[in-house]
Amino acid sequence: MTLTTRTSRLALIALVLLHQACKKDTDNGPSSGGGGTGPGPGPGGNGLVTSWSPIKPYPDDVITFTGGPFNTNPAQNTVTSNNQAFNVLSVSATQLVVQPPAGWAPFIGGYSAVLVNSGTAADTIPYVFWKRPFNLMHFEDNLDQVFSGAPARAGDSVLFNLTGATPTGMSMSLNGQTIPGPFAVDSGVYCTIGFRIPLSFASGTDEATVESALLSATNADGRSDTLTIAFAPTPDMRVQGMELIGGGTTFSISAMNAGGQVLNFRVFGRYLHSTTPWSLSGPSPATGTLGVGGYPNEAFLVVNPVSMQPGSYTLAISGTLISYGFTFTP
């Protein structure tokens, strides 16, 4: 074999391999009808569709196919996917506007083939990728309660289930009041979103009050959904203890009066209510309420010995086991 003959055969083999490689890439690549990443029209297509918007739509989005020329008679146009016909909203020579029917969804995997017919022309887009439907589903947990359950309460950390949420850039509101972000969204198909309901949403002093509230969530792409929930506007008060500033259990009335001193008690806990009653039992009994505003985590009670009788006393927060005992001597 001459050098020239061998060189010619090698060149021929190289051309054949190149042809097969190109053919394999064209057959396996995601053809798009001109609107995606594949080269040229889809199977059975002729480049009728050159692009579509939005590129990755929701299953109920209005979709505009651009290209043409389209038959301008709406009755001469059909768009189908998963064997279901889309609603044709309008058509011009260069744009065909459609919307999937209610309840339509792509197959598992989030994509579907879309077949476009306009008059005698046809095109196939084999891979249209769809966003998961954005759905605020239900209340899952109140993390600040011992038992996981409703209602969602002002000041508490809560979890809700949803689908199709964007991990970042979300916004939320409750009865039209903005809930400060950022929000914790996991990345699962069925997501959870967690946040704390601001204490500024609180009102009232009766924790048994429960009302309906509208929770609204908006994705970073602007898609929104709402959910009506059971909402308790009064925070969950928890009285954790009481201490006497400076300490002590026995005090002389005369010595305190001479120095203008009083007993200053600190009540501490969480989200204290202004109407929470207290009682002082002993020779000179007294009652009252914490009288605080804004649901603070501490309040102060003052016992002035000026007009009190000697004896043993107990200062208690009514309805709790929290108390402090002390003695006044002459």
Side-chain angles (χ1 to χ4, degrees), residues 6 23 27 29 35 41 44 58 70 82 115-116 118 130 165 206 208 216 229 235-236 239 275 283 300 320 324:
R6 182 179 181 183
K23 184 175 185 300
D27 290 345
Y58 283 100
F70 296 109
N82 295 352
L115 286 68
V116 180
S118 183
W130 303 83
D206 185 357
S216 177
I229 64 171
D236 180 18
V239 181
T275 56
F300 294 90
T320 75
Y324 194 100

Side-chain angles (χ1 to χ4, degrees), residues 6-7 45 59 98 132 143 182 196 204 212 216 222 235 255 271 284 294 299 306 321:
R6 182 179 181 183
T7 302
V98 301
R132 295 190 187 98
L143 299 180
R196 184 170 294 279
S212 294
S216 177
Y271 305 150
S284 301
V306 170
L321 299 177

Side-chain angles (χ1 to χ4, degrees), residues 163-254:
T163 61
T166 51
T168 60
M170 291 191 65
S171 60
M172 300 195 73
S173 66
L174 185 67
N175 281 346
Q177 298 185 76
T178 300
I179 300 172
F183 302 100
V185 182
D186 69 14
S187 58
V189 175
Y190 292 97
C191 315
T192 60
I193 183 168
F195 57 90
R196 184 170 294 279
I197 300 177
L199 191 61
S200 60
F201 291 11
S203 64
T205 57
D206 185 357
E207 294 183 17
T209 300
V210 178
E211 56 194 35
S212 294
L214 187 66
L215 182 68
S216 177
T218 302
N219 254 350
D221 61 7
R223 180 57 67 102
S224 297
D225 196 26
T226 60
L227 178 69
T228 299
I229 64 171
F231 175 62
T234 304
D236 180 18
M237 181 184 71
R238 298 179 186 179
V239 181
Q240 297 172 336
M242 180 167 52
E243 63 180 0
L244 175 61
I245 305 300
T249 56
T250 302
F251 307 94
S252 167
I253 294 178
S254 57

Side-chain angles (χ1 to χ4, degrees), residues 66 80 100 103 146 149 230 255 282:
T66 299
T80 59
V146 176

Side-chain angles (χ1 to χ4, degrees), residues 14-110:
L15 286 173
V16 171
L17 291 175
L18 179 61
H19 172 72
Q20 292 298 325
C22 292
K23 184 175 185 300
K24 180 178 181 181
D25 181 64
T26 301
D27 290 345
N28 290 350
S31 181
S32 64
T37 58
N46 60 2
L48 179 67
V49 175
T50 58
S51 64
W52 62 91
S53 179
I55 291 295
K56 188 175 182 180
Y58 283 100
D60 61 352
D61 263 341
V62 172
I63 306 165
T64 300
F65 292 102
T66 299
F70 296 109
N71 188 309
T72 56
N73 181 358
Q76 295 297 312
N77 293 270
T78 61
V79 176
T80 59
S81 184
N82 295 352
N83 297 319
Q84 293 191 54
F86 289 8
N87 300 313
V88 176
L89 304 182
S90 66
V91 61
S92 69
T94 59
Q95 289 190 330
L96 175 61
V97 182
V98 301
Q99 185 176 29
W104 182 89
F107 292 135
I108 296 175

